[in-house]
């Protein structure tokens, strides 16, 4: 794949947007809607069961036209094809980024280094399905003959955020006789709290680490091993209470896990894109193979839409372009994701890694410093809770925060008027952000003049609304892939590699240098700066060492 050696901000399309921004940046949404009564219907796209209303953005038809020209000038179509072809789009690591193969149909062909990887993917999925069915039916027994009732996933980053998000999102579909816990933090409290009320005889650990050497994961894995052995008193128990998701068979065997109980994934799958690989084993155990495959189908439908739909009707492309519009022209530094669905409470946290680990870069694909801002900060909370915490800032603060509202027409748990009230709030918040409330309107309501400035809402705060019929496994797959491809679109526009993550490495390296000093080993000549050195000494003093 060729890289775009011309900085994005030097493209004619980018410069045209800069000029256009100066003309439209102060246009009020009230005027845009009053001048175009059909705007709310016209600036919307519906595809594969997802309805995207982007009419409440500070854009005109010309804005959309120029953003689409920017996508074309950046070679977005060619980059999409390169990713789906299995080209080494992860240029700094010389790898493909072919997570779309993880949800490909058996009949499809997707090549990595000339090899069709789809049969490998389905072989692992079939193995996962066999394991999940056996455990869910009670056929998998622990060391003492009791069936497994507790599953603890140990991982970090994509090996944790994807599984825990998917479990919470699809808990409605989970087998309620099984308990699921997730351990990621190297803080011992995470492990202790996850296991304190579990019976070791009925507990199985899924250790998820590609190398089986990840510091946090393996520290927790060895604590889990000690916990099992302390209770069950036999090294043979490890084989019955641990399975691995890894590509390092040697380290897995050394740990004591049977090779038949290792589920493979590949180096062309990035961690944050891996929830539909073997990393999703805990998800499949929770919801069952049939629901898991429905989720994969949702991913695949969005993949096909992203690859084939014209950009003016392309959900991920439009969302990605709008994110660029606010990030680079309005200088909006954050993007709020606001699901009005309790089951999606971990979705914003999942998107934080997906977006910021992918696009939190200041170096372009050709090794030069980028000359523009890249990834906004993603954050959010389930909507009705957020309304009583940070929505004050969204409405009347000094920062511009574009928002994504996500709602579902049919609740999974109908209860009186709860769902209508929930969705009424979602629609109202988007309306209030867009149109606000003027001092004249307040005056007509009898609000005293001295109080009016405090009750005035300036509006003109942009948002998208994503509406789906129901939160199903298939719908979740579509939503996750929607954001995956939106993030990819943004990375292409900015000319960066969305598939490496060198920024996470330096802190790990320094931690390993510091660790011997915290263990009380002679440090020789200290290489720490005065602040870090003083902090280490204060820690050792407080520790009583």
């Amino acid at each position: 794949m060729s890289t775009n050696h011309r900085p994005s901000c030097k493209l004619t399309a980018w410069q045209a947007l800069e000029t256009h921004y100066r003309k439209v940046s102060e246009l009020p949404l009230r005027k845009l809607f009053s001048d175009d009564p059909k705007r709310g219907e016209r600036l919307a796209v519906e595809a594969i069961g997802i309805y995207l209303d982007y009419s409440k953005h500070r854009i005109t038809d010309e804005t959309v036209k120029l953003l689409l020209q920017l996508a074309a000038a950046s070679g977005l179509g060619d980059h999409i094809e390169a990713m789906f072809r299995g080209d080494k789009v992860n240029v700094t690591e010389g790898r493909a980024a072919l997570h779309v193969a993880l949800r490909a149909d058996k009949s499809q062909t997707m090549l990595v280094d000339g090899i069709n990887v789809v049969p490998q993917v389905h072989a692992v999925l079939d193995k996962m399905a066999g394991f999940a069915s056996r455990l869910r039916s009670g056929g998998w027994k622990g060391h003492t003959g009791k069936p497994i009732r507790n599953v603890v996933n140990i991982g970090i980053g994509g090996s944790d955020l994807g599984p825990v998000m998917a479990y919470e999102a699809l808990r409605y579909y989970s087998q309620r006789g099984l308990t699921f816990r997730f351990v990621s933090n190297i803080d011992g409290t995470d492990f202790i709290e996850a296991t304190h009320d579990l019976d070791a005889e009925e507990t199985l650990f899924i250790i998820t680490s590609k190398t089986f050497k990840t510091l946090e994961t393996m520290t927790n894995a060895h604590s889990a091993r000690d916990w099992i052995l302390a209770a069950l008193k036999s090294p043979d128990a490890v084989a019955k209470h641990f399975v691995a998701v890894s590509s390092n068979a040697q380290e897995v065997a050394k740990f004591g896990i049977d090779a038949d109980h290792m589920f493979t994934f590949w180096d062309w799958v990035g961690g944050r894109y891996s929830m539909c690989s073997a990393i999703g084993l805990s998800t499949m155990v929770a919801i069952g193979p049939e629901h898991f495959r429905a989720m994969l189908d949702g991913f695949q439908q969005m993949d096909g839409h992203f690859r084939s739909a014209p950009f003016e009707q392309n959900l991920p492309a439009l969302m990605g372009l709008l994110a660029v519009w606010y990030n680079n022209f309005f200088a909006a530094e954050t993007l709020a994701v606001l699901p009005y669905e309790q089951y999606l409470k971990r979705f914003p946290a999942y998107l934080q890694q997906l977006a910021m680990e992918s696009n939190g870069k200041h170096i372009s694909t050709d090794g030069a410093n980028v000359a523009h801002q890249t990834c906004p900060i993603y954050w959010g909370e389930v909507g009705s809770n957020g309304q009583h915490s940070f929505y004050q800032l969204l409405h009347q603060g000094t920062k511009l925060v574009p928002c994504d509202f996500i709602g579902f027409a049919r609740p999974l748990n109908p209860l009186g008027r709860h769902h209508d009230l929930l969705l009424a709030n979602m629609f109202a918040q988007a309306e209030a952000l867009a149109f606000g409330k003027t001092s004249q309107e307040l005056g007509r309501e009898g609000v005293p003049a001295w109080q009016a400035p405090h009750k005035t809402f300036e509006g003109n705060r942009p948002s998208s609304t994503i509406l789906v019929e129901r939160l199903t496994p298939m719908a979740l797959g579509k939503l996750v892939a929607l954001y995956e491809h939106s993030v990819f679109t943004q990375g292409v526009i900015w000319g960066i590699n969305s598939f490496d993550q060198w920024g996470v490495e330096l802190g790990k390296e320094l931690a390993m240098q510091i660790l011997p000093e915290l263990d009380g080993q002679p440090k020789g000549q200290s290489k720490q700066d005065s602040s870090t050195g003083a902090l280490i000494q204060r820690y050792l003093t407080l520790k009583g060492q």
Side-chain angles (χ1 to χ4, degrees):
M1 183 194 72
S2 62
T3 57
N4 176 19
H5 292 285
R6 192 177 184 193
S8 301
C9 59
K10 299 297 184 183
L11 295 173
T12 301
W14 185 287
Q15 294 169 349
L17 277 163
E18 288 180 330
T19 301
H20 174 71
Y21 164 77
R22 291 190 286 271
K23 295 178 182 176
V24 303
S25 60
E26 298 302 322
L27 280 177
L29 283 166
R30 281 186 177 228
K31 177 172 172 53
L32 291 173
F33 272 82
S34 64
D35 289 349
D36 180 4
K38 296 290 187 180
R39 178 184 172 94
E41 301 168 29
R42 198 168 53 77
L43 296 185
V45 175
E46 185 168 15
I48 62 167
I50 292 182
Y51 183 83
L52 170 67
D53 174 3
Y54 64 99
S55 62
K56 294 186 181 74
H57 283 288
R58 293 165 67 170
I59 56 173
T60 65
D61 289 346
E62 180 70 10
T63 316
V64 176
K65 176 184 172 184
L66 292 173
L67 286 170
L68 293 172
Q69 289 176 1
L70 178 62
S74 301
L76 178 58
D78 291 340
H79 282 76
I80 292 171
E81 284 307 305
M83 180 176 70
F84 277 85
R85 274 197 312 266
D87 291 5
K88 294 179 179 178
V89 294
N90 182 351
V91 293
T92 63
E93 296 180 293
R95 295 175 181 168
L98 201 58
H99 41 281
V100 292
L102 298 173
R103 50 264 197 160
D105 187 81
K106 285 183 178 180
S107 62
Q108 290 181 266
T109 297
M110 291 197 168
L111 302 177
V112 175
D113 295 326
I115 298 171
N116 180 16
V117 298
V118 175
Q120 301 174 31
V121 168
H122 280 273
V124 173
L125 286 172
D126 290 344
K127 182 177 179 180
M128 291 166 61
F131 169 78
S133 297
R134 185 178 168 196
L135 194 151
R136 287 165 59 86
S137 68
W140 182 289
K141 301 291 197 299
H143 180 64
T144 62
K146 290 186 177 181
I148 295 297
R149 301 188 186 280
N150 312 309
V151 177
V152 182
N153 187 87
I154 296 181
I156 198 165
S159 299
D160 171 74
L161 285 166
V164 73
M165 180 278 291
Y167 171 68
E168 292 293 348
L170 301 176
R171 185 188 283 244
Y172 177 85
Y173 303 91
S174 67
Q175 185 163 318
R176 296 306 178 104
L178 297 173
T179 297
F180 291 86
R181 303 279 169 80
F182 299 86
V183 175
S184 59
N185 198 337
I186 202 169
D187 185 336
T189 297
D190 198 14
F191 179 83
I192 294 297
E193 288 294 337
T195 57
H196 83 281
D197 59 343
L198 302 184
D199 182 345
E201 293 180 272
E202 300 177 335
T203 299
L204 179 129
F205 292 92
I206 301 174
I207 312 300
T208 55
S209 170
K210 185 182 293 185
T211 63
F212 230 64
K213 294 181 179 180
T214 308
L215 175 66
E216 297 90 343
T217 299
M218 296 317 298
T219 299
N220 282 319
H222 283 285
S223 292
R225 191 176 187 275
D226 292 343
W227 183 78
I228 286 289
L229 292 177
L232 304 184
K233 312 298 183 185
S234 171
D236 295 338
V238 174
K240 296 288 188 180
H241 292 267
F242 287 83
V243 298
V245 178
S246 181
S247 58
N248 192 337
Q250 185 176 356
E251 287 296 322
V252 168
K254 188 187 300 183
F255 188 88
I257 297 174
D258 191 315
D260 289 340
H261 303 154
M262 185 181 94
F263 300 85
T264 302
F265 64 115
W266 306 271
D267 65 4
W268 42 263
V269 180
R272 57 194 173 277
Y273 297 93
S274 66
M275 62 172 281
C276 44
S277 72
I279 292 294
L281 182 61
S282 61
T283 307
M284 186 185 279
V285 172
I287 66 175
E290 184 177 345
H291 284 314
F292 193 87
R293 290 185 185 276
M295 183 182 74
L296 297 184
D297 187 37
F299 273 99
Q300 186 186 20
Q301 288 184 48
M302 184 58 72
D303 294 342
H305 169 76
F306 181 53
R307 191 177 188 183
S308 63
F311 292 147
E312 63 270 18
Q313 296 291 316
N314 193 304
L315 297 167
L318 286 170
M319 286 180 60
L321 290 168
L322 288 168
V324 170
W325 174 235
Y326 291 108
N327 184 69
N328 293 102
F329 299 93
F330 284 83
E333 296 188 346
T334 77
L335 190 157
V337 180
L338 310 169
Y340 277 68
E341 169 55 72
Q342 182 65 23
Y343 284 123
L344 289 183
K345 64 182 182 181
R346 294 302 303 271
F347 193 59
Y350 174 78
L351 294 183
Q352 286 173 353
Q353 186 200 19
L354 175 64
M356 294 193 284
E357 193 168 272
S358 293
N359 288 340
K361 317 281 172 64
H362 72 279
I363 301 295
S364 67
T365 51
D366 62 357
N369 284 310
V370 297
H372 47 263
Q373 288 292 314
T374 58
C375 188
I377 297 165
Y378 278 63
W379 62 287
E381 177 62 84
V382 287
S384 55
N385 290 356
Q387 288 177 197
H388 293 270
S389 58
F390 55 78
Y391 275 44
Q392 168 65 43
L393 182 148
L394 298 183
H395 285 287
Q396 291 186 311
T398 57
K399 302 181 186 303
L400 180 70
V401 182
C403 300
D404 286 354
F405 292 93
I406 303 172
F408 298 85
R410 295 172 57 199
L412 292 173
N413 297 297
L415 183 63
R417 299 181 63 215
H418 282 242
H419 198 67
D420 285 344
L421 288 168
L422 179 71
L423 269 291
N425 272 276
M426 185 183 82
F427 297 141
Q429 292 296 334
E431 181 182 9
L433 285 167
F435 307 118
K437 198 166 194 177
T438 66
S439 56
Q440 292 82 0
E441 289 169 330
L442 290 167
R444 289 194 292 271
E445 293 176 2
V447 174
W450 67 268
Q451 200 177 48
H454 301 283
K455 291 193 171 184
T456 297
F457 292 75
E458 64 181 13
N460 229 26
R461 310 219 170 190
S463 68
S464 298
T465 299
I466 297 167
L467 197 59
V468 185
E469 181 184 347
R470 199 164 188 248
L471 178 55
T472 62
M474 184 181 291
L476 180 67
K478 293 175 184 177
L479 277 176
V480 174
L482 171 65
Y483 278 92
E484 283 182 353
H485 297 318
S486 171
V487 166
F488 176 73
T489 297
Q490 295 167 54
V492 169
I493 301 298
W494 293 320
I496 58 178
N497 177 10
S498 297
F499 300 113
D500 63 10
Q501 56 279 332
W502 298 107
V504 306
E505 298 301 323
L506 179 58
K508 293 180 181 180
E509 295 172 8
L510 294 176
M512 296 311 295
Q513 295 174 22
I514 291 170
L515 186 60
E517 295 188 38
L518 303 189
D519 288 338
Q521 298 178 21
K523 64 181 180 179
Q525 186 174 358
S526 177
K527 295 181 180 179
Q528 266 79 45
D529 62 272
S530 59
S531 170
T532 305
L535 287 168
I536 290 171
Q537 290 306 310
R538 178 54 58 98
Y539 169 75
L540 292 173
T541 298
L542 292 172
K543 187 180 175 182
Q545 187 171 319

